[in-house]
Amino acid sequence: MPAKGKAENIGIVASLVALSVILHLFNIPFPPAQYLLFDLTGIPLALSMFFSPRLTVIAGLPVFYIGLLLYRPQDPIGPFMKVAAEGFTILPFYVLYQRRWFATKARSALATALVVASRTVSMLVLNLAIDPFYFVLFKWVEIYGQGLQLTLMALPYVCVFNVITAVYVTWLSLPIVRELEKVGVLPYVKSSQGEGS
């Protein structure tokens, strides 16, 4: 790709990551667990994968983390979990789109299920590994066992939240990617996708 095209892609990725950070300000709490917030940050991050997947993963997600950390400098773990969740959503979305898994309605449903599984299972493991220590560190509980118990109580809500988020990020990103592909502005799309017919 020409140097000019690469520079343009860097600018687009930077803009999309900045948009993601801004969109984090506009959120809706998940009613059963109001510390979990629905927002649209995953959509510009998903789009940035199609302009430069390597740059998005290597630089975009770390910059996104730093941006989130500016909102909550006292809590480095929460932004890390948010970045991980979005990463486990946008990576399979990008790969499956490239492999034409969204070319038909039936394949789109299966691809969406795979994106959901990627985010939900990965975050389930991360929550089990990190949350008990998080709860102890921030004095929600006194000992690890209590932190683990609290984590297990929260996991059903976390899983439902991640399922919902993975679905809407996928299905709101999909028509935008298709439209951008149609007009020929996506440098990292290997093959034409169907219209979901």
Side-chain angles (χ1 to χ4, degrees), residues 40 42-51 89-90 92-113 115 165-183 185-186 189 191-197:
L40 300 177
I43 296 168
L45 291 174
L47 299 179
S48 72
M49 291 290 289
F50 293 89
F51 288 95
T89 307
I90 66 174
F93 172 71
Y94 171 75
V95 170
L96 292 167
Y97 190 94
Q98 292 287 50
R99 296 187 178 186
R100 295 182 54 80
W101 277 79
F102 289 98
T104 66
K105 285 183 179 177
R107 288 170 68 86
S108 290
L110 181 54
T112 302
V115 174
T165 306
V167 169
Y168 77 70
V169 167
T170 298
W171 283 93
L172 292 177
S173 300
L174 187 58
I176 302 172
V177 172
R178 283 178 172 157
E179 196 59 35
L180 292 174
E181 183 185 1
K182 251 188 222 179
V183 299
V185 299
L186 297 181
V189 176
S191 56
S192 177
Q193 303 291 312
E195 292 301 315
S197 57

Side-chain angles (χ1 to χ4, degrees), residues 127-137 141 143-144 147-148 151:
N127 277 277
L128 281 170
I130 294 174
D131 283 4
F133 297 103
Y134 177 92
F135 294 139
V136 172
L137 179 66
V141 296
I143 59 174
Y144 174 85
L148 180 59
T151 300

